Structure formats: structure tokens, C-alpha cells
Amino acid sequence: MQKAAEEIIEFQDRQEAQALLGERDEFVRVLMDNFDARFVSRGESISISGEAGEVEQAAKIMRELQYLYRQGTAITMHEVRYSVGLMKGGKGEALHNLFSDTILVTSRGRHVRPKTLGQRIYVDTIKHNFITFGVGPAGTGKTYLAVVLACAALRNREVEKLILTRPAVEAGEKLGFLPGDLQEKVDPYLRPLYDALQDILGQDVFQKLMLKGVIEVAPLAYMRGRTLENAFVILDEAQNTTDKQMKMFLTRLGFGSRMVVTGDPGQIDLPRGVTSGLVEAAKILDGVKGIGIVRMEPMDVIRHDVVTRIVEAYAAYEKKLQKF
């Protein structure tokens, strides 16, 4: 006979209750779909009853989400579904450590922390290597987390400047038809990096650091011939580098610097027959001391649920094509 149990989660107020139960109890319904237990909301508390093991797991998820909320993080469907997935996968013990690791507090007071185990591994790998490759689908936080860690390193005076770069593949060498100087021509390709920096630092601080040259956002071509010392350097959209460009970039690493290379091999825009520098480098440098390679999975996608399903569907389709 299975042992029955009941646990009651108390909320600080109705605002916390709504944040943790979800709009129209949508978060509770996810728990109900995954655990054989009875959930009864009583205003500023929720009662979970049923078989002891099921109740314990569901209550642990609710308490971890409560902890996360009280640390200043808005609870979304991602946190709920991912917590359930970890618990059902036998990795429930990883929940607290995952949710408790704040990397940085943004200018708006938002706590930035890894949201998946893949992101946690990615962050730890960056911290312990000179060069890190973050490879995986869109929406896994590769670029944003790299920028967060770069800003944290700058705040902690571990580096003297931040250098962020992307290949302007779509523009190629034919930029003449666009208005403005070269920087203005390539700015549209660098916009995601500007957006991430402004979100983390705030508009005023970002502008001041740009004017002082502490932050440099530039196309990949600007890296040639330089030695980058005491800097945190990020190469974004690296799937669109050629093999020669990638080798050029990696050999710019100077003393006191750290590099992060991010990209999605599923979104290569290079001309047919041109080898992606990211794909090649990830093979050549796998296992080299001081270099970490993290491969993110569809379950690490932090966007709308539909995005995760799109990524998985495309991956399955491409895998099927490879068999023919």
C-alpha cells in the first residue's frame, strides 16, 4: 500500500501566489499533468496531497520556483516545464544549484542565472578555459550569457576591455551601395550585440564605455593583425566564418584574455562548398587543453515552447535527409 502524504506551500501574499501558480493556474496545470497528486489552491497557499513520492517531488519544484521568484526572477512556463523535466529525469537535486547561481545583476536589478543544465555547463566552461566554443541552436542563450560573463569580468576588473565581433556574411565585400561609412554599413549585423550590452549595462553606461573604447563592437575583418590582450573577446555567429577567418581570429588571443565563440551549425549562410570555420574548429580543437567545447541541445532553448518544437522538428528532418 502506498503511503499518503500532504504538503502545504505558504505564499507571502497574493502577488507571489499568482506568480507561482500562473495566470489562471496554468503552472499548476502543468504539475497536475505530470504528477499523480491533488493540488488545491487556498488563496495564499497551495495544498499538495497524494502518494508520498509524487507529493515530495511536486512540492520540491514549487519551493524551488518560490526561491527563484524571491531572488527576483519572473517565473515563466520555461522554468516550470524545465523543472518538471529535471525531476522526472531523476535530476531533481540539480534544481537548487541551477537556480541559485547568479552570474550578474543587470542595471534594472534583474538577476541573470543559468536556466538549464546546458547553460550551467556553458557558464562553468567559460570560467575555466581560455577559449570556449558554444555550439547549438538559436534561443539557447549562447551569445547573451557570453556577454553577461564579459560584463561581469569587466566589473570585477579581470579584463580591461570587451571586444565583440561578428562576420558580416550577408554584406560580403559589396557594401558600397549602403549609406554611411564602413562602421555604419556593418552596424545592422552587430545590432544583437548592442542590444545585449544595453540590456545588461543600461543605455548610459553602455554609451560611456563605448566612447572610452572600453567596449568595442566591430566586424570580424577588424581583428586581422591584432593581438588582443587583457580583453574578453566574443565572436558571434561563428558558423559564418571561413576556416581561414576562424584560424585568424583564434590566433589573436593575447595574455590575460579570454575568448568565447558562439554559433549554430544549422544556420550557415556561407556560399555552397565553403567550409564553416566553426564546424571545422570544433573538430580540430576538441580535447585541446585550455579550450572548452559546449554543445547545446534543443531542451536548452529559452524561448516560446513552439520554438523548441521547431528546433526539434528541423533536427529530425535534417537527420532523416542524411540517411538518403
Side-chain angles (χ1 to χ4, degrees):
M1 183 177 179
Q2 293 181 332
K3 184 178 178 181
E6 180 183 19
E7 292 205 34
I8 298 176
I9 310 295
E10 302 282 352
F11 304 123
Q12 287 181 337
D13 49 39
R14 287 190 176 275
Q15 184 177 349
E16 181 177 277
Q18 183 175 358
L20 295 172
L21 301 180
E23 191 74 26
R24 298 179 182 176
D25 292 341
E26 61 179 342
F27 299 159
V28 177
R29 287 198 294 272
V30 173
L31 296 177
M32 291 174 65
D33 290 341
N34 287 276
F35 295 98
D36 187 14
R38 186 165 177 258
F39 297 80
V40 179
S41 175
R42 299 192 176 98
E44 295 185 11
S45 69
I46 185 170
S47 168
I48 307 173
S49 59
E51 191 274 317
E54 295 286 291
V55 170
E56 180 183 359
Q57 290 186 356
K60 179 174 175 58
I61 288 176
M62 186 60 70
R63 289 197 174 96
E64 292 297 344
L65 293 174
Q66 186 177 51
Y67 168 80
L68 186 61
Y69 173 78
R70 291 179 179 179
Q71 293 296 308
T73 298
I75 304 302
T76 68
M77 188 60 78
H78 164 77
E79 281 79 23
V80 179
R81 290 191 186 281
Y82 193 76
S83 297
V84 170
L86 280 183
M87 190 66 71
K88 288 294 185 179
K91 298 178 181 179
E93 72 284 350
L95 270 178
H96 188 74
N97 289 335
L98 174 63
F99 289 157
S100 64
D101 185 17
T102 296
I103 307 170
L104 175 142
V105 179
T106 70
S107 61
R108 299 180 181 179
R110 184 169 63 87
H111 290 244
V112 180
R113 45 173 65 87
K115 292 188 174 184
T116 71
L117 290 182
Q119 287 192 351
R120 178 64 181 269
I121 292 169
Y122 179 54
V123 168
D124 289 343
T125 301
I126 292 173
K127 289 180 177 179
H128 294 98
N129 287 278
F130 296 112
I131 299 175
T132 299
F133 288 84
V135 183
T140 51
K142 303 182 300 296
T143 301
Y144 189 79
L145 285 174
V147 174
V148 167
L149 287 164
C151 291
L154 187 64
R155 283 185 182 179
N156 297 333
R157 299 186 178 181
E158 297 170 16
V159 296
E160 296 176 358
K161 67 183 304 182
L162 309 184
I163 300 174
L164 300 94
T165 183
R166 299 178 90 183
V169 168
E170 296 87 345
E173 299 299 323
K174 302 175 182 178
L175 298 171
F177 70 93
L178 294 172
D181 59 22
L182 181 58
Q183 186 66 50
E184 291 172 324
K185 293 174 192 291
V186 298
D187 267 356
Y189 303 102
L190 304 172
R191 177 51 53 188
L193 299 177
Y194 289 125
D195 291 344
L197 285 166
Q198 290 174 13
D199 179 57
I200 296 163
L201 299 172
Q203 178 71 23
D204 291 343
V205 174
F206 168 67
Q207 292 291 350
K208 288 178 182 178
L209 294 178
M210 284 285 288
L211 288 172
K212 290 180 179 179
V214 175
I215 295 178
E216 178 184 348
V217 184
L220 183 58
Y222 282 26
M223 300 299 110
R224 189 173 299 278
R226 301 175 60 182
T227 299
L228 308 175
E229 296 190 343
N230 300 313
F232 197 116
V233 192
I234 300 172
L235 170 58
D236 190 33
E237 296 290 329
Q239 75 275 3
N240 288 327
T241 60
T242 64
D243 50 355
K244 291 181 179 178
Q245 287 176 321
M246 178 62 74
K247 184 178 179 182
M248 176 276 292
F249 174 77
L250 295 176
T251 53
R252 300 306 94 199
L253 182 70
F255 291 109
S257 290
R258 194 180 307 166
M259 283 182 169
V260 179
V261 179
T262 69
D264 177 6
Q267 297 190 35
I268 297 173
D269 297 316
L270 293 168
R272 185 180 297 275
V274 177
T275 301
S276 166
L278 175 66
V279 174
E280 183 180 80
K283 294 176 182 177
I284 294 173
L285 302 175
D286 193 10
V288 174
K289 186 177 180 180
I291 297 177
I293 300 175
V294 180
R295 292 178 171 84
M296 308 289 252
E297 303 295 337
M299 70 177 297
D300 294 309
V301 172
I302 313 295
R303 290 184 180 171
H304 195 288
D305 287 352
V306 172
V307 176
T308 302
R309 293 195 286 272
I310 289 172
V311 171
E312 291 173 340
Y314 268 94
Y317 175 73
E318 288 164 3
K319 186 176 182 181
K320 186 177 180 180
L321 287 180
Q322 291 174 359
K323 293 181 180 179
F324 294 97

